[in-house]
Every structure is written in structure tokens, then in C-alpha cells.
Amino acid sequence: MSLFSADNGESDLYLSRTDPESPFGTHAAFSFELEGKIWPTVEHYFQGMKFTDEVWQEKIRAAATPGLARKLGRKRNKSFRRDWKQVRETVMTRGVYVRCRTHPELTEQLLKTRDQKIVENSNFDYFWGCGRDRRGDNCYGKVLMNVRDKLREEQESARA
């Protein structure tokens, strides 16, 4: 699969959330504005939103790479916001959605997947990914499919 192509066949689309070459990944370098700031990647935004400490959020937002933002977002000496487990999927969805609305080429690529099942292919992540045994929650894949549905609805409403 090239950077901007989707297999429109019957098979599921497996991707890595951390692949910077995947237009659907959180590490892809497509910046967007949210919460009054420009975020370099969805990963920067997601990791930053784990915290209420604005200085720490800014440190994450300004991280040189998505990998560094992720590392900073996993620091256990900083406390996550109390409602993080309840809002993390909403935060991820907002980041992916706003990035797609900011970069129409991403919307186009996501819509090209039609009704294909999108799977975050992680052997180790059973929440965001499918896990080694493919029985994980695949929440990141679900986020992408939900954003795709919302973008499709908006596109159809605009035509009507």
C-alpha cells in the first residue's frame, strides 16, 4: 500500500498507529489546530491531553518527534487527568477528525477505504490494537472507522 492508497477489496486494512509513513497513523506529520494550539501530529495531541498541567502539555506539544511526545506522555512521575480512561477515545477521535478536516487529502484517503474494516495491527496493545491473538479491542481502528462515517455523512449532507 503506498502512502495514499487504500485497498478497496474485501480484506481488512491492517495498519500501524505509530507508522509515520501511514496517513492514518498518529505519528504522520499532518499538523492541525485544536485547543488553541497547533499540534504537529495526533500523537502529540493525544499525549498532551493526558495532563491538565499546561507547562507539561506544552513540553509534549513542542517535542521534536511523535516518539518523544509519546515517551513524555507516559511519564509516571506526572499524574494523568482523573478522567483519562473515560475521555481517551474521545480525545483520539477529536484529533483524528480535526486532522482529516484540516487536510482534505486525508479525508479522501479515509473515504476510499469505503466500508473496509480498519485494524490497528499491534501485537502488544489490546486496547488500541488487535493484540497478538487478534482479540483486542481495536479501539484505534474503530476511531478511524467512526471518523470515516462522520466524514461520509458530512460529504453526503453537503451534496443534498
Side-chain angles (χ1 to χ4, degrees), residues 4 8 10 54 62 70 88-89 92 117 120:
F4 289 114
N8 292 318
E10 300 282 323
E54 289 188 29
R70 185 177 188 181
R88 61 185 172 176
E89 290 174 74
M92 183 68 83
K117 181 178 179 184
E120 207 295 273

Side-chain angles (χ1 to χ4, degrees), residues 23-82:
F24 305 135
T26 61
H27 289 219
F30 292 96
S31 64
F32 57 94
E33 184 176 348
L34 200 52
E35 313 292 340
K37 299 175 183 171
I38 303 291
W39 298 91
T41 67
V42 170
E43 190 68 28
H44 284 81
Y45 174 72
F46 178 78
Q47 297 298 337
M49 290 298 101
K50 288 180 176 179
F51 306 95
T52 55
D53 177 343
E54 289 188 29
V55 173
W56 192 249
Q57 262 188 12
E58 183 57 24
K59 185 171 182 157
I60 292 170
R61 191 189 71 77
T65 65
L68 181 56
R70 185 177 188 181
K71 186 176 179 180
L72 292 170
R74 292 178 163 197
K75 290 258 187 217
R76 294 295 178 201
N77 64 331
K78 297 286 183 184
S79 56
F80 288 178
R81 55 191 277 182
R82 292 180 196 265

Side-chain angles (χ1 to χ4, degrees), residues 52-159:
T52 55
D53 177 343
E54 289 188 29
V55 173
W56 192 249
Q57 262 188 12
E58 183 57 24
K59 185 171 182 157
I60 292 170
R61 191 189 71 77
T65 65
L68 181 56
R70 185 177 188 181
K71 186 176 179 180
L72 292 170
R74 292 178 163 197
K75 290 258 187 217
R76 294 295 178 201
N77 64 331
K78 297 286 183 184
S79 56
F80 288 178
R81 55 191 277 182
R82 292 180 196 265
D83 64 349
W84 182 241
K85 284 203 173 186
Q86 291 78 41
V87 302
R88 61 185 172 176
E89 290 174 74
T90 302
V91 168
M92 183 68 83
T93 301
R94 286 186 76 209
V96 170
Y97 174 77
V98 172
R99 179 184 63 179
C100 285
R101 296 287 289 152
T102 303
H103 300 278
E105 66 273 25
L106 297 178
T107 294
E108 182 182 322
Q109 290 308 305
L110 191 53
L111 291 174
K112 280 184 181 179
T113 64
R114 296 188 190 136
D115 293 320
Q116 211 171 0
K117 181 178 179 184
I118 302 173
V119 180
E120 207 295 273
N121 192 24
S122 172
N123 284 330
F124 307 105
D125 191 333
Y126 280 76
F127 178 75
W128 292 110
C130 63
R132 181 175 291 118
D133 62 5
R134 302 285 186 250
R135 289 192 229 169
D137 294 334
N138 188 39
C139 287
Y140 188 68
K142 290 173 185 172
V143 162
L144 288 170
M145 292 182 284
N146 289 338
V147 168
R148 176 181 65 195
D149 291 346
K150 174 85 172 143
L151 293 168
R152 185 181 296 134
E153 283 175 24
E154 290 175 355
Q155 198 176 62
E156 289 168 1
S157 291
R159 287 187 192 138

